[in-house]
Amino acid sequence: MSHAANEMSRAVRSLETVRNSKKLLPSFFSRENAENRKVAWCMQGVPTELLEAFDLMPEWPENFGALCAARSVAPRFIAAAESEGFSSELCSYMTNTLGYCKRYCDLGTEPPESPPQGGMVHATMLLGSGYLCDPRIKWFQTIGTRYFDIPVFNSDPMSPPIDRDIDDPRMIDHHMQHLRADLKDQVAFLEKHTHKKFDVNRFREIMSISQKSIESWRRVYDLRKVKPCPMGSEDYFSCVIPQMFMLGKEEALTFFEKVYDEVKDRVDRGVGVLKDEKYRLAFYGLPPWHNLGFFNYLESLGAITVFEGAYYIGPPVDIDLDDPLEGLAERIWKNACWHHRTSAEAMPEICNPALQQGIGSKLLLRLIREYDVDGVILHRTRSCRPWSWGQVHYRTLLEKEGIPALIFESDMTDVRMWSDSKVKAQVEPFMETIAQLKYGKID
Amino acid sequence: MGKSAVHGLERLNDLYNRKESVAKEYRKQGKKIIGYLCYFAPPELISAAGMVPYRIMGRMDDEIIQAHNYVEPLGCPFIRNCFEQDLKGNLDFLDGRIIPHSCDTAQRLYGIWKYYKSASYNYCLNVPHKVTPWSRDFFKRELHFFKESLEKYGGVEITDEALRNAIRLYNENRAMVRELYDLRKEQPPRLSGSDMFKTLIVGMAIPPEEFNALLKEILAEVKNRPRGGEMLPRILFWGCIIDDARLFELIEESGSWIVSDDTCIGTKSYLRRIDTSHGLMEGLAKGYFEEFRCPRTDRGPDIHRFDYVLDLVREYDVQGVIGYTLSFCDPFKLDYPDMRDYLSENEIPMLLIDDDYSLSHLESIRTRVEAFIEILE
């Protein structure tokens, strides 16, 4: 099946730093020293700081899914997984990888249809995380059972249910005990399979860089409240790369400092992404990686997306790095607590060692006011229910606040569910509603 | 529920057809009825608090109308249907609602359900995904918190004696259900799979002591049946939650016997007992977490994680497996290809029925089931 590039398939980035990200983040984009390092396929939720401490070369199947989506090869891999009997309803990040593995096993090498950089560097271990969803519990189990006979570790960070008292010392102890044991088990697994001893001092340095990176990146969030908004989603969804995959690396820190400087400069000069910013929108859900030009399309209608409900990190938390592994556990828990307090009835799973979350309902309503948003676009991703579930409720809450909300359905990876004309047919009347509410007329 | 004019399987059918009104009768007697969504929440604890545990069930033939206003169409159709029943007032006889974190949809619906329709008691029981010593400890602490919460709600203390007694009653349920399963090892079996499933479904709706009384009657009746009957292919039923016997009836009407299963309401729950020799909570944690083989719990990357299914296949002399998956059920849908291939390696064919918890395509399912049974003959 071929999917010709359409109007929205490629995004034009606004920030120079982001346009240069391939040069600025060589260890991610160029896979430096891959041949000398053990390779772990990792899921979001594996602390990148631990990977750095063990000098592992990570490959990220979720990111590979986004890349395959952007290059329109994902449908071929997904079809290969479906031919094995994996349902088309399953997470397309996952079926993209399962199809890739199937093709790899059939051919004995990377499938030639892989994106330009080749496929993923072959793994010596699989590091999964039960954070977020059920498919992520099963994904590497399936690869380890069916395709590659390599060691698998799944971490299992447990989130407190929404109505638990997270200030109760017993509840804190309950979760911290489990978190610590889970992290220690992960370290023991990495020591065993890398044949390296965990270097606490090195890890402390890495954690320190990571903390500074988070602080630096998080400062950018506040700058986007300014009118005109200096940064849109087309840039944000590239900036999350070092946040998701590189925390603990100097490169990530430098990158975020540069992003901050560039965005701050725009703010100081009163420059926005749009010369004439008519509408301010929020985007909730996973992005359509195959059609990130969607955000440029919104801009062509005078609308800038000022915050996103995906990969959101809470404010930096103070942690004691004297025992850096304990510090990591503390950071995970404190971050989860922040999200717990800013969530309400509909809450994503919040205990994520890799920090970023979906935002809860209470936070969404707060940010709407803080960012002075005119409307919210919610992306219902058919194959990712955890990111989609709750959007109907969010829409209800937003509409109670007088904020128009549009839910449109496609998928994060599977471009077969995308149609420019269908998207336009939904977005245009939505923007008309916003125009009427804001300016009392159709623009 | 007192003296009844009908007994055994006749009484079973009566209870099966009016399980909700039976629960309502208990409520009229002043009992609190506590709904729980799945077996990660041990009903023993509810029973020990002097309340009636009732497993929340949906209505397969009921159209989803109201739930669309509150939750997305993409999500477990069983749980959405249960939510729909509550929105329509069909679960108003429940005083409390317990939703364990069994899967993504359950975890995420909990708060939304509570927001739009709060029960007088709401509780989300957390369940780890990995089986490790610290996960078991986590689950045990969860059980303690759950116990405390029930005590607070009911204004009662759940004594060790009460809990031990509840576990004993449920273990008696299990022992008798196992006896019924054993009778299905015969060829032909003296109890149909459909009647077995109805028994299990009724067992989820009545107190354990009442279930014991019913099981005794059914056992006596089935044991007294003469041997003989049609020699038909023997099926194992695998898959997601199902609380409606029509599919089982269809499979058996198509010329087979369902002689065993790998379902949460069947063998996963009943072919074991809660062992309290190392403590009451330890026993519950082992039975309801560690040994409860729901595919949502990670058991490592090994095809041998399905060996227990092959054991059932051999023990019950099964010729074919019919699987049932619900739309959007990630854990089962991810296990399916491995399960199918492993069975195939062991020369056991498998048919998969994928459904949206409506059985709306019953006739096309019948055609597929008949074709499948034909190849087993």
Side-chain angles (χ1 to χ4, degrees):
Chain A
M1 202 181 298
S2 96
H3 295 273
N6 51 16
E7 183 190 328
M8 300 189 204
S9 60
R10 301 301 290 266
V12 179
R13 269 78 182 178
S14 169
L15 293 171
E16 195 189 335
T17 313
V18 174
R19 284 199 298 270
N20 285 329
S21 55
K22 282 188 184 164
K23 277 186 209 152
L24 296 168
L25 304 168
S27 63
F28 181 78
F29 286 102
S30 316
R31 297 165 161 177
E32 285 175 338
N33 302 320
E35 62 282 2
N36 302 323
R37 296 155 74 198
K38 284 198 181 289
V39 177
W41 286 9
C42 302
M43 283 180 207
Q44 270 301 293
V46 177
T48 52
E49 297 88 346
L50 274 181
L51 302 172
E52 189 70 7
F54 282 97
D55 194 30
L56 276 162
M57 153 97 196
E59 282 282 13
W60 302 91
E62 282 151 307
N63 181 61
F64 182 68
L67 185 64
C68 290
R71 303 299 162 93
S72 292
V73 294
R76 293 185 65 178
F77 289 141
I78 294 169
E82 287 171 5
S83 76
E84 290 268 86
F86 292 106
S87 166
S88 61
E89 290 165 0
L90 293 168
C91 164
S92 54
Y93 286 147
M94 184 177 64
T95 47
N96 181 74
T97 316
L98 297 178
Y100 171 85
C101 294
K102 156 90 174 125
R103 293 278 296 140
Y104 188 101
C105 290
D106 287 349
L107 301 168
T109 187
E110 284 86 4
E113 65 268 33
S114 303
Q117 292 91 327
M120 287 184 279
V121 182
H122 202 57
T124 49
M125 66 184 86
L126 301 170
L127 303 178
S129 169
Y131 153 70
L132 187 62
C133 67
D134 296 330
R136 286 158 47 93
I137 312 271
K138 306 288 289 177
W139 182 351
F140 285 180
Q141 178 187 55
T142 303
I143 293 179
T145 303
R146 205 171 173 83
Y147 300 112
F148 304 134
D149 185 15
I150 49 177
V152 179
F153 182 90
N154 270 334
S155 73
D156 188 22
M158 296 299 300
S159 300
I162 57 160
D163 44 10
R164 291 288 173 93
D165 178 5
I166 52 167
D167 295 314
D168 177 348
R170 291 193 313 162
M171 205 52 67
I172 298 169
D173 186 52
H174 173 50
H175 281 270
M176 284 298 285
Q177 271 191 46
H178 190 265
L179 259 178
R180 272 185 211 113
D182 194 54
L183 277 173
K184 281 183 182 162
D185 196 34
Q186 195 164 13
V187 168
F189 177 92
L190 292 173
E191 284 187 325
K192 182 178 170 190
H193 293 288
T194 59
H195 309 294
K196 285 180 183 163
K197 191 96 191 97
F198 180 55
D199 181 341
V200 173
N201 292 327
R202 169 100 182 97
F203 187 60
R204 189 178 296 112
E205 286 165 25
I206 293 165
M207 283 296 293
S208 168
I209 296 168
S210 169
Q211 287 293 91
K212 284 181 204 153
S213 303
I214 293 164
E215 279 167 32
S216 191
W217 173 219
R218 179 69 205 190
R219 287 196 298 166
V220 177
Y221 281 35
D222 287 335
L223 295 176
R224 295 177 70 194
K225 290 176 186 168
V226 174
K227 292 179 186 175
C229 181
M231 175 180 172
S233 292
E234 69 277 19
D235 289 316
Y236 173 82
F237 284 118
S238 292
C239 285
V240 295
I241 286 173
Q243 171 196 312
M244 290 202 275
F245 309 121
M246 302 176 74
L247 283 181
K249 279 186 184 290
E250 287 281 1
E251 269 173 50
L253 176 58
T254 311
F255 180 83
F256 285 134
E257 285 171 347
K258 277 185 187 298
V259 171
Y260 177 80
D261 289 344
E262 187 179 352
V263 176
K264 180 73 172 56
D265 177 61
R266 281 187 172 189
V267 169
D268 292 343
R269 291 186 292 116
V271 172
V273 175
L274 296 178
K275 277 187 185 148
D276 181 17
E277 180 180 296
K278 289 183 187 153
Y279 313 106
R280 295 168 66 83
L281 301 178
F283 181 81
Y284 186 92
L286 293 176
W289 292 111
H290 38 74
N291 277 281
L292 288 178
F294 171 68
F295 299 107
N296 299 129
Y297 160 69
L298 293 176
E299 286 161 12
S300 74
L301 304 175
I304 181 79
T305 38
V306 295
F307 78 84
E308 296 74 16
Y311 314 125
Y312 190 92
I313 52 168
V317 292
D318 283 332
I319 52 170
D320 184 356
L321 288 179
D322 194 36
D323 175 351
L325 200 59
E326 177 66 14
L328 177 58
E330 193 187 350
R331 187 178 81 185
I332 297 166
W333 174 249
K334 284 185 172 174
N335 191 58
C337 287
W338 186 83
H339 276 279
H340 195 276
R341 290 190 177 94
T342 56
S343 297
E345 51 288 338
M347 185 181 74
E349 281 200 64
I350 51 170
C351 203
N352 177 10
L355 294 174
Q356 76 273 356
Q357 319 287 352
I359 60 184
S361 36
K362 213 189 282 178
L363 179 60
L364 180 62
L365 296 180
R366 195 179 95 192
L367 295 181
I368 292 299
R369 291 185 288 272
E370 286 181 11
Y371 284 80
D372 196 15
V373 159
D374 303 310
V376 180
I377 294 183
L378 303 112
H379 185 204
R380 178 187 288 164
T381 40
R382 185 172 170 77
S383 81
C384 183
R385 268 81 66 193
W387 272 103
S388 304
W389 191 264
Q391 290 184 3
V392 168
H393 175 60
Y394 283 14
R395 183 177 60 192
T396 304
L397 296 180
L398 288 163
E399 285 172 352
K400 271 189 195 166
E401 298 280 315
I403 304 289
L406 169 73
I407 296 176
F408 82 101
E409 185 173 321
S410 81
D411 193 64
M412 64 284 193
T413 308
D414 197 342
V415 71
R416 292 176 298 184
M417 290 174 204
W418 183 273
S419 144
D420 276 4
S421 55
K422 237 170 91 182
V423 169
K424 284 181 179 177
Q426 291 178 77
V427 169
E428 279 166 19
F430 175 68
M431 292 311 297
E432 282 168 18
T433 306
I434 290 178
Q436 274 183 322
L437 278 171
K438 189 164 184 175
Y439 301 113
K441 64 179 173 65
I442 296 175
D443 197 54
Chain B
M1 293 300 294
K3 294 265 178 197
S4 172
V6 292
H7 293 277
L9 291 169
E10 200 182 340
R11 186 153 86 89
L12 168 72
N13 275 302
D14 174 54
L15 289 170
Y16 175 77
N17 290 326
R18 56 179 195 93
K19 50 188 186 290
E20 288 168 5
S21 58
V22 172
K24 285 175 195 165
E25 287 168 33
Y26 284 109
R27 197 159 189 247
K28 274 189 202 150
Q29 293 170 13
K31 295 261 188 193
K32 283 194 161 65
I33 315 293
I34 305 294
Y36 61 102
L37 197 69
C38 100
Y39 274 142
F40 280 109
E44 282 90 336
L45 280 165
I46 303 167
S47 234
M51 305 177 205
V52 177
Y54 182 94
R55 183 155 172 159
I56 298 171
M57 293 178 247
R59 292 184 183 182
M60 280 186 124
D61 47 7
D62 191 43
E63 193 187 347
I64 303 290
I65 299 164
Q66 298 191 31
H68 287 313
N69 297 326
Y70 308 113
V71 290
E72 353 293 311
L74 313 173
C76 169
F78 164 71
I79 297 179
R80 293 180 84 247
N81 189 298
C82 292
F83 182 39
E84 172 81 11
Q85 298 318 317
D86 199 20
L87 292 170
K88 282 180 177 155
N90 294 334
L91 295 176
D92 283 353
F93 61 91
L94 297 178
D95 295 282
R97 181 192 311 131
I98 296 156
I99 300 189
H101 181 173
S102 46
C103 66
D104 290 341
T105 313
Q107 184 249 355
R108 281 164 172 77
L109 183 58
Y110 172 72
I112 296 175
W113 196 334
K114 190 177 165 185
Y115 180 83
Y116 288 107
K117 189 159 181 180
S118 183
S120 58
Y121 172 70
N122 307 275
Y123 197 78
C124 178
L125 181 89
N126 219 345
V127 189
H129 294 93
K130 267 179 83 169
V131 182
T132 59
W134 50 93
S135 295
R136 193 169 68 179
D137 288 346
F138 184 95
F139 188 72
K140 257 168 70 182
R141 292 194 297 271
E142 281 291 318
L143 292 181
H144 278 289
F145 294 137
F146 177 38
K147 175 174 168 275
E148 283 179 12
S149 153
L150 280 169
E151 287 174 331
K152 195 174 162 196
Y153 169 65
V156 291
E157 185 194 352
I158 299 176
T159 62
D160 280 1
E161 193 192 344
L163 184 53
R164 188 170 288 111
N165 189 45
I167 293 173
R168 182 182 55 75
L169 287 171
Y170 277 91
N171 275 342
E172 284 171 16
N173 287 174
R174 292 185 182 97
M176 281 191 274
V177 167
R178 278 199 301 274
E179 262 193 82
L180 286 172
Y181 269 75
D182 281 344
L183 291 170
R184 297 158 73 209
K185 289 178 184 169
E186 297 169 356
Q187 174 66 323
R190 274 185 283 177
L191 178 69
S192 71
S194 312
D195 281 341
M196 187 69 245
F197 271 89
K198 282 184 185 169
T199 307
L200 298 170
I201 289 164
V202 168
M204 302 189 292
I206 59 175
E209 55 275 23
E210 287 296 322
F211 192 33
N212 275 333
L214 177 68
L215 284 165
K216 269 182 201 151
E217 292 171 26
I218 295 173
L219 263 170
E221 183 177 335
V222 174
K223 278 180 178 171
N224 276 328
R225 280 178 169 171
R227 288 202 177 202
E230 270 196 279
M231 302 286 274
L232 300 169
R234 297 165 66 83
I235 302 286
L236 180 141
F237 186 90
W238 170 88
C240 293
I241 174 72
I242 184 163
D243 50 12
D244 184 311
R246 277 179 299 162
L247 182 58
F248 306 110
E249 287 166 350
L250 179 151
I251 292 169
E252 295 194 315
E253 283 161 14
S254 302
S256 69
W257 294 113
I258 298 175
V259 292
S260 190
D261 64 89
D262 178 29
T263 64
C264 61
I265 70 165
T267 59
K268 280 189 203 324
S269 298
Y270 281 96
L271 293 193
R272 57 180 164 78
R273 61 187 295 280
I274 300 299
D275 174 7
T276 56
S277 58
H278 296 98
L280 300 174
M281 289 303 197
E282 183 68 24
L284 290 175
K286 197 171 178 199
Y288 282 91
F289 169 61
E290 200 172 0
E291 291 181 351
F292 186 66
R293 299 192 72 95
C294 179
R296 55 75 77 191
T297 304
D298 182 16
R299 290 179 196 274
D302 188 347
I303 197 70
H304 294 290
R305 69 183 189 275
F306 299 123
D307 279 351
Y308 75 100
V309 180
L310 277 186
D311 289 344
L312 289 171
V313 163
R314 291 188 191 109
E315 207 180 327
Y316 289 84
D317 191 19
V318 163
Q319 280 97 51
V321 171
I322 294 183
Y324 177 79
T325 52
L326 288 171
S327 312
F328 307 116
C329 181
D330 299 306
F332 275 95
K333 289 197 164 184
L334 267 157
D335 265 358
Y336 162 67
D338 284 345
M339 167 76 87
R340 174 204 59 199
D341 293 353
Y342 194 45
L343 288 168
S344 174
E345 276 169 33
N346 287 277
E347 296 177 348
I348 302 294
M350 180 173 186
L351 169 74
L352 184 72
I353 298 163
D354 192 28
D355 184 41
D356 59 356
Y357 190 74
S358 71
L359 292 181
S360 56
H361 305 291
L362 214 54
E363 286 317 303
S364 72
I365 293 173
R366 188 187 301 278
T367 308
R368 293 180 61 216
V369 168
E370 283 172 352
F372 179 69
I373 290 169
E374 237 170 72
I375 64 163
L376 302 178
E377 285 169 340

